Amino acid sequence: MPAGHVYVRHIHAPDGSDGVRLLPDPRPNGAPSTSQQWWPPVMLDPAWIDAHHTAFDVYHLHFGFDAQTPQQLAALVGRLRRYGKPLVQTVHDLRNPHHPDRRAHDAALDVLIPAADCLITLTPGAAAEISSRWGRTAHVLPHPHVVDEPALSRPRGHRAGFVVGVHAKSLRPNMAPLQVVTALTRVVPDLPGAVLQVDIHRDTHDPAAGAYAPEVVAGLRALAGRRLIDLRVHDYFDDDALWTYLQSLDLSVLPYTFGTHSGWLEACHDLGTAVAAPDCGFYAQQRPCHTYGHGHRADLDGTGPGEALLDEASLHAAVRQAYAHRPAWRAHPPVRAAERQNLAAAHRALYEACLS
């Protein structure tokens, strides 16, 4: 749960040979059939467990519990216990990138991680933190491919120049794009043929939108006016447009100040786009990438992110390394296919162990 997420789909065998069947995500009441908006998953409701406990064997939770209180999650766990249904929890986020204050997510994990019959995470560093904070052992299983065929095998075009990209999206709370972009304007112009492209969603310009960010928009426009960046404002990319965008970059710089793991990084690995990732979280343990120093001074005390700390020298070094070492690392499709089969077998084995 949620079954429709690309990660969840790709930890199971594409041909169904692992024998695992996912129940489809129920559409919440009131959600239009054409809606792409995020809705709290219906399967988190204890009433759904009451009504459907005979339809599933194992409850495997990945994402979607951001809006649930600890009391609601405890009620969910209680229902699963009532019906003897094992809880498997994949810990993707030890620090939620959508929450400025970490305390709500910590409280949710304080319910789910001790209660889980089986824990999975994506990197050794995350497993070590889980062990340190909760005394639980998590199985480390890598993130599967994000990009499907034929894009996974699509050759990268040969071109002159070097495109450094920063995508600010709709400015999640863990992003400091203006700070990162400003620092990049002091290194990219020194690299022959290099350009700095900055993408941002249109809703950041809309005063009626929740993502409205006039200071960031004004700062980026000022840099564009000085011809230091190629600023592109647009709506969300669909998957095909996103893969095309990523392959148009030589280096994608992740402007994150906190977080844990990244599907964006995995997509870049699939497509042969180098990544410069911050040293917060465990991004560098996922796939080969360049790293730089970025984090928040006050994040660990639970009071909120506080001041963003960017090590500009390390960011410049990461960009220069990516520029000097081309082509970038890229996943081999047969290796990704084998990895997916191995992940399917590993998950099947863990489910069986929970049921034994």
Side-chain angles (χ1 to χ4, degrees), residues 264-343:
W264 187 278
L265 185 154
E266 296 285 344
C268 287
H269 181 62
D270 287 337
L271 296 168
T273 301
V275 170
D279 59 0
C280 57
F282 303 104
Y283 306 112
Q285 293 186 11
Q286 282 187 249
R287 302 294 168 186
C289 60
H290 307 280
T291 59
Y292 70 98
H294 206 187
H296 271 124
R297 186 189 304 279
D299 187 52
L300 291 179
D301 69 5
T303 60
E307 179 187 359
L309 300 175
L310 172 64
D311 180 353
E312 187 166 322
S314 66
L315 176 59
H316 290 182
V319 173
R320 291 192 179 101
Q321 288 168 1
Y323 183 84
H325 298 96
R326 289 179 274 173
W329 306 285
R330 184 174 187 179
H332 294 292
V335 172
R336 278 300 219 182
E339 180 182 62
R340 180 169 176 175
Q341 291 290 346
N342 291 337
L343 284 169

Side-chain angles (χ1 to χ4, degrees), residues 151 154-156 159 243-249 271 273 330:
R154 184 171 61 202
R156 291 179 65 91
R159 62 179 181 276
W243 309 154
T244 299
Y245 160 75
L246 290 177
Q247 282 203 314
S248 76
L249 306 179
L271 296 168
T273 301
R330 184 174 187 179

Side-chain angles (χ1 to χ4, degrees), residues 77-112:
V77 170
R79 284 301 204 286
L80 293 172
R81 293 285 177 268
R82 174 185 297 178
Y83 298 113
K85 303 297 180 177
L87 170 62
V88 176
Q89 170 75 25
T90 294
V91 184
H92 293 268
D93 297 316
L94 285 160
R95 178 67 171 92
N96 193 311
H98 301 284
H99 290 182
D101 186 321
R102 66 176 300 146
R103 285 173 287 189
H105 191 68
D106 286 349
L109 295 182
D110 283 341
V111 174
L112 294 170

